Amino acid sequence: MYSQIFLSHSKEDPNLTFFHKVLSGLATRLVAVELEEIFAPPAAFIIDQINSSDALFVSLSKPLEELLHTRNWVSFEIGLAANRPWPGVFLQKIGIDIIVFEPLEYHVEPIQFPVPYFHYYIEYENNDEWVKYIRKLVQYGPRYVKYSTITCPYEDCRIQFNWIAPSDLNDLTCPACRRKMEVEKEEL
């Protein structure tokens, strides 16, 4: 189970309530702060919180796509999470779980915010069924939910990641290069 999750997001994200519902009643602490609420220097606070987290959730939204200032901070947070060393690990594990969330409503017109490094990509709906599914992920870890392992087919990308989405989807937009691709995946 994750003890702390850092939510990388835009303060204007319309899906913030989804993440609060997911973590409601769980022992997992959600760090979802607005830059304006952090005392200077904000980077020090963010570094400390990501270093104390087990996972980074990246919430893709239209406001994130549109606000350059927010895009820069989210990119910074992803870079920190990808490079966080794990203290006390003999063969240093680098990085924490990075999970990209994109609302299913954006499937046809995805958010144009490339995430160059991540582990899981989740296309979800803001409903009770998905809240329960993501709660399971938070409680037991992403390795205990069904996903399909995907490799981006584009030669200049080729990122490999795990995709969690409704079973009737057979195409997606690669979160790293943001190009459409057809996929074959197992039933979820």
Side-chain angles (χ1 to χ4, degrees), residues 13 37-38 41-42 49 51 54 61 68-69 85 87 94 100 117 119 141 154 162 173 175 180:
D13 189 326
E37 298 171 1
I38 303 171
Q49 292 304 309
N51 282 339
D54 306 303
S61 66
L68 181 60
H69 182 75
I94 300 295
V100 177
Y117 183 80
H119 304 100
Y154 298 99
N162 302 302
T173 300
K180 285 280 190 189

Side-chain angles (χ1 to χ4, degrees), residues 43-67:
F45 175 83
I46 291 169
I47 291 167
D48 182 57
Q49 292 304 309
I50 289 176
N51 282 339
S52 299
S53 296
D54 306 303
L56 178 85
F57 284 8
V58 179
S59 180
L60 299 184
S61 66
K62 287 292 182 191
L64 171 60
E65 181 179 55
E66 296 164 356
L67 300 170

Side-chain angles (χ1 to χ4, degrees), residues 7 16 21 33 36 51 56 64 67-68 71 115 130 140-141 143 148-149 152 158 172 178 182 187:
L7 178 62
L16 290 179
K21 284 181 200 173
V33 295
E36 298 80 10
N51 282 339
L56 178 85
L64 171 60
L67 300 170
L68 181 60
R71 292 171 63 107
V115 180
W130 276 96
Y140 304 109
R143 290 148 196 89
S148 296
T149 301
C152 179
R158 304 293 294 160
L172 72 127
R178 301 315 284 171
E182 297 291 321
E187 289 291 315

